[in-house]
Amino acid sequence: MTATEIAPAPRRIRPEISPPTLLRASATIVWRNLVHIRRMPEMLLDVTVQSVMFVLLFAYVFGGAIAVAGTDYKEFLLPGIMVQTMVFSAAIVAMGLTSDLQKGIVDRFKSLPIPRSAVLVGRSISSLIHSSIGVAVMAVTGLLIGWRMRNGLLDAALAFLLLLLFGFAVIWLGIWVGSLMRTVEAVQGFMFTVMFPLTFVANTFAPPESMPSWLRAIAEWNPVSAVTQACRELWGNGLPASADAAWPLQHPVLMSIAWSLVLTAVFAPLAVSAFRRRSRD
Amino acid sequence: MTVAPAVEAVELAKHFGANRAVDGVSFVVPSGTVLGLLGPNGAGKTTLVRMLTTLSVPTSGTGRVAGFDIREQPNDVRRSMGLTGQAATVDEILTGRENLKLIGGLYGLSRKYVRETTEYLFDRFDLTAAADRAAKTYSGGMRRRLDLAVSLLAAPPILFLDEPTTGLDPHSRSGLWEVLRDLVREGTTLVLTTQYLEEADHLADEIVVVDKGRVIAAGTPTQLKDRAGQASVVVTLTSAADLDDAAELMRSQSPEVHVEPGSRRLTAKADGLGDMTRIAAVFESSGIAIDDLGLARPSLDDVFLHLTGHRAEVLPGADPTTQGVPQ
Ligand SMILES: Nc1ncnc2c1ncn2[C@@H]1O[C@H](COP(=O)(O)OP(=O)(O)OP(=O)(O)O)[C@@H](O)[C@H]1O
Ligand SMILES: [Mg+2]
C-alpha cells in the first residue's frame, strides 16, 4: 500500500504454534487486563478513592452515632469495608467480561487455540488483583486513622486469605451476571442494586443487634457478616459476637470458608453454563 | 491423489429459534483459491463464517477446515486458520504492538518471532508510525488493518475475512485488495464475505451467492454473469428530446428496447459487437446526436437482481454508471 511495497513476498514460514496451557493463556490475559489498569488508573477509583471516602465518611460522620460495644468504631468499620470491597469484585468481573463480550474480544480469544476457560480464569485473577489493591489501600488508610491488627502475623494473614477466598467465590456470581447481560451499563445497574443491600444488611457498618429481629436474622446469616466477623476476630477488632447472635457469627472463620464453598458450588456451574451458552452463538 | 480442500461446508445450518439464519449450505474451497460469499444484509454470511471458525456451534451439518472437523476438532481448526471478523476485535487500550504481543502469547509463539513478524506486518500495512499508540486512537481503516495484522500473525494457511472492506474509503479498499492478492500469491486460501459485487468480482475465483440462509447460485464470476443473460447496447443521447425518435430507431434493430423515461439513456438487447455496430450506423445516418454508445455485459449486480429480485449494495464511491444496465 505504500511505495515500500515490492515484489510479492515469499510465503512466510509457518511458525511453531505451541498452544499454551490454561495457566500460560490465563497469565497472558491477566497481563492484558493489568495493562488496562495501568493505562486507565481511573479504573481503580472504585476501590481506592471511593473506598477511602467510605472509610472517612463512616468513621467521622456516622462513627459518633453508631455505638459499638468494646471497641472504637474505626476498628469495627475497617474489616467490614474491606469485605465490601471484596464483594465488589463480582461487579468488576461482570463489567469486564460483558465489555469483552460486547467488543468482540472474547470472539477473538475464542478463535485462538487456547483453553476457553482461560478467558474466565484470566478475568477472575485480574479482578481479584483489582480488589486486592483496594483492600491494601484501605488497610493503609486504616492504619493511618488508628485501625490495628492486634493478634499477630499468622491471624492477620489468615484474615486476608479468607478475604481472597470469599472474593473468589463471589466472582462466580459476577461471571454469571456478566454472561447473561448484554451491556456494561446493565451490569453496572444490576450489580450495584444487588451489592448495596448485600453489604449493608450485614454487620459491616452497624451491629445487627440494633436491627429489627427479622432483619437481624437476615443480616446474621448473610455470608458477608461471617467473613466480616472472622476478620474482626482474627485482627482483634472488638469483641466476639454476642451470645444471642446466630450460629454463623459464633463460628465465623469456619463459616467464612463454608459460605465461600457453598457460593462457589451454586454459582460456578451457573456461571460456566451461562458463559458456554453465550459462547455457542 | 487429490488435494484435500482447504475449507468445506457440509449442509451447514444454524437456526436462532424460528429464524433459519443458515439453512443447509454446502460448498468446497480448494486450497490456494479465493471463495467469495456474496449476499445482502442478513443473508447469513457472518453466521456461516462464525460456524466455520468454531465461534458458533452449528444446529446441524458440519464443516472442515484444513481437513479438521469443526465440531470434532475445533482446536486443530483454530490452529489452522486466521479470522478477521465483521467488527474489528482489536483491544483499544493496548497499543498496536501490544495487540500482536497479546495474540502471539496466546498462540504460544516465540517472542523473537512475534517481534520480527510485527515489524514485517506493520511495515506492510503502513502501521509502523502508529505501532506504539493505543488502538483507540486509530482510524477505522487503521483498526481494520491492525485486525488483519493480528489475524496474519501466525501466518495461517487459511484466512476468513468477514466484510473486510466495509467502511473503508476507496483508497484503503484498493490497498487492502492488494494485500489480499499478495496473500493469495503466497498460497493462502481466502474465504471472504462481501455485499459488494465489485469486490467479489475482483478477488474471488469462485462465488457463492447466499440469500436468506441458502445458496442461490454458485460459480465463477463469468459463469454467474452468463446466467444473468445477454449483453446489451447502451446509448446516451445528447438531448432528451430525441428519446422517442431514438427508441423508434432502435426498435427497428433489436426486439427488446428499454427506455428510461426522463433520461437520455436507452438500452437494447444485443448479441454482440455486430449488433452494436449496426445500431451505431443507424444513429449515424439518422442525424440524432449521441454522446455515447457502448456494449455492456451484465454486471454481477444484474446477476444479483436476477437471482434475488433485489439489488445488491453499491460500493460507496463507485461510479454508478459502471453498475448494472437495466434490462
Ligand atoms: N446471535 C444471534 N442471535 C439471534 N439471531 C441472530 C444471531 N446472529 C445472527 N442472527 C440472525 O441471523 C440472520 C443472519 O445474520 P448474519 O449476521 O449471518 O447475516 P449477514 O449475512 O452477515 O448480514 P450482514 O451483511 O448485515 O453482516 C439474521 O436474521 C440475524 O438477525
Ligand atoms: Mg455479517
Side-chain angles (χ1 to χ4, degrees):
Chain A
M1 20 186 69
T2 58
T4 54
E5 198 168 271
I6 26 155
R11 174 109 186 93
R12 284 184 296 129
I13 309 294
R14 192 146 161 77
E16 187 67 37
I17 291 180
S18 35
T21 57
L22 175 59
L23 201 69
R24 258 200 68 186
S26 307
T28 306
I29 293 176
V30 170
W31 166 78
R32 172 241 174 196
N33 294 343
L34 293 184
V35 173
H36 278 208
I37 294 182
R38 210 171 63 219
R39 294 283 151 75
M40 302 189 296
E42 65 271 21
M43 279 173 76
L44 290 177
L45 284 183
D46 54 353
V47 295
T48 54
V49 176
Q50 201 172 310
S51 314
V52 170
M53 220 171 60
F54 253 69
V55 171
L56 300 179
L57 277 178
F58 272 87
Y60 294 104
V61 178
F62 302 126
I66 304 174
V68 183
T71 184
D72 173 47
Y73 184 67
K74 280 175 271 184
E75 292 264 308
F76 177 86
L77 175 67
L78 252 286
I81 237 165
M82 288 193 201
V83 176
Q84 187 188 43
T85 300
M86 237 32 218
V87 172
F88 282 152
S89 305
I92 295 165
V93 82
M95 289 190 284
L97 185 61
T98 308
S99 160
D100 283 352
L101 281 164
Q102 217 183 342
K103 292 197 177 127
I105 305 285
V106 171
D107 276 347
R108 169 61 78 189
F109 289 159
K110 275 163 57 191
S111 76
L112 302 172
I114 58 168
R116 288 204 169 172
S117 47
V119 178
L120 299 184
V121 176
R123 237 321 133 202
S124 307
I125 294 174
S126 55
S127 299
L128 274 183
I129 294 175
H130 186 151
S131 307
S132 301
I133 294 173
V135 168
V137 167
M138 260 174 297
V140 172
T141 314
L143 290 171
L144 289 177
I145 63 170
W147 166 75
R148 292 291 178 271
M149 292 174 277
R150 305 173 191 283
N151 288 351
L153 211 60
L154 209 66
D155 278 4
L158 180 58
F160 282 113
L161 278 180
L162 285 180
L163 274 176
L164 275 180
L165 179 69
F166 192 60
F168 177 79
V170 296
I171 269 177
W172 291 109
L173 169 69
I175 292 177
W176 185 45
V177 174
S179 304
L180 289 178
M181 297 211 160
R182 300 280 151 177
T183 66
V184 177
E185 291 71 26
V187 170
Q188 199 166 10
F190 177 82
M191 283 314 246
F192 284 95
T193 316
V194 172
M195 303 269 114
F196 273 100
L198 186 69
T199 52
F200 274 78
V201 183
N203 61 358
T204 34
F205 299 101
E209 285 84 356
S210 59
M211 300 176 186
S213 61
W214 61 273
L215 196 62
R216 177 180 175 183
I218 297 176
E220 292 188 339
W221 282 90
N222 185 341
V224 170
S225 296
V227 184
T228 306
Q229 186 62 31
C231 290
R232 280 184 189 137
E233 291 188 10
L234 289 167
W235 287 329
N237 302 142
L239 305 173
S242 65
D244 63 342
W247 195 85
L249 296 193
Q250 310 290 350
H251 309 86
V253 174
L254 183 70
M255 276 312 286
S256 297
I257 297 172
W259 275 127
S260 300
L261 296 179
V262 168
L263 290 176
T264 305
V266 171
F267 288 113
L270 286 173
V272 169
S273 85
F275 183 72
R276 282 234 181 95
R277 227 174 312 122
R278 181 84 184 255
S279 300
R280 289 177 63 86
D281 289 346
Chain B
M1 203 185 104
T2 53
V3 182
V7 179
E8 214 177 337
V10 187
E11 286 298 317
L12 262 182
K14 178 88 185 184
H15 300 171
F16 296 106
N19 179 0
R20 299 169 171 239
V22 175
D23 201 15
V25 168
S26 304
F27 55 75
V28 173
V29 189
S31 215
T33 67
V34 181
L35 177 81
L37 282 170
L38 181 64
N41 283 132
K45 304 179 297 292
T46 298
T47 308
L48 261 171
V49 167
R50 289 178 63 83
M51 285 192 282
L52 287 170
T53 53
T54 76
L55 295 188
S56 166
V57 181
T59 306
S60 66
T62 189
R64 276 180 283 278
V65 174
F68 300 113
D69 191 284
I70 55 172
R71 284 166 170 273
E72 309 296 327
Q73 300 154 292
N75 251 315
D76 294 301
V77 170
R78 288 173 205 143
R79 218 179 315 181
S80 315
M81 57 87 194
L83 165 66
T84 304
Q86 183 164 2
T89 54
V90 298
D91 186 314
E92 301 188 326
I93 311 294
L94 300 188
T95 65
R97 202 186 299 282
E98 284 167 343
N99 264 286
L100 272 84
K101 189 175 158 193
L102 170 66
I103 302 304
L106 292 176
Y107 270 117
L109 302 170
S110 79
R111 277 165 201 271
K112 180 166 175 287
Y113 172 88
V114 171
R115 212 169 38 237
E116 289 171 1
T117 310
T118 301
E119 295 308 317
Y120 166 78
L121 289 171
F122 278 13
D123 189 37
R124 190 165 173 180
F125 291 159
D126 228 357
L127 287 171
T128 306
D132 294 310
R133 261 168 42 197
K136 65 164 178 277
T137 68
Y138 285 20
S139 72
M142 290 164 78
R143 251 176 242 220
R144 279 252 135 214
R145 300 203 302 270
L146 176 60
D147 207 22
L148 193 60
V150 166
S151 319
L152 292 176
L153 180 61
I158 299 167
L159 184 62
F160 290 87
L161 300 146
D162 195 0
E163 301 197 17
T165 62
T166 300
L168 296 191
D169 62 33
H171 174 74
S172 309
R173 186 183 319 121
S174 55
L176 193 62
W177 284 356
E178 202 46 56
V179 169
L180 295 182
R181 278 197 217 96
D182 273 352
L183 287 172
V184 175
R185 268 199 289 277
E186 292 168 11
T188 308
T189 305
L190 297 186
V191 174
L192 63 93
T193 77
T194 180
Q195 302 179 37
Y196 303 137
L197 306 154
E198 193 189 340
E199 184 157 279
D201 202 2
H202 249 81
L203 295 170
D205 297 308
E206 187 82 26
I207 294 176
V208 168
V209 186
V210 283
D211 192 30
K212 301 192 178 78
R214 297 189 146 276
V215 175
I216 53 173
T220 64
T222 321
Q223 282 170 347
L224 288 182
K225 285 181 205 168
D226 284 348
R227 280 185 55 177
Q230 286 175 297
S232 44
V233 174
V234 186
V235 177
T236 308
L237 303 174
T238 307
S239 157
D242 294 330
L243 206 60
D244 290 341
D245 293 342
E248 188 77 15
L249 196 65
M250 278 173 83
R251 286 205 182 93
S252 68
Q253 302 297 321
S254 166
E256 208 181 318
V257 175
H258 179 85
V259 182
E260 286 172 52
S263 81
R264 297 184 288 125
R265 282 214 316 171
L266 301 101
T267 317
K269 275 232 160 124
D271 278 333
L273 283 175
D275 281 346
M276 188 184 77
T277 38
R278 266 191 301 118
I279 292 176
V282 294
F283 270 103
E284 184 76 49
S285 53
S286 74
I288 299 176
I290 59 173
D291 275 355
D292 190 38
L293 185 149
L295 188 68
R297 300 204 167 277
S299 70
L300 276 175
D301 196 24
D302 301 312
V303 179
F304 214 79
L305 184 62
H306 180 76
L307 293 168
T308 65
H310 50 89
R311 290 212 172 272
E313 303 288 314
V314 174
L315 265 176
D319 176 4
T321 59
T322 63
Q323 298 288 320
V325 176
Q327 309 228 320

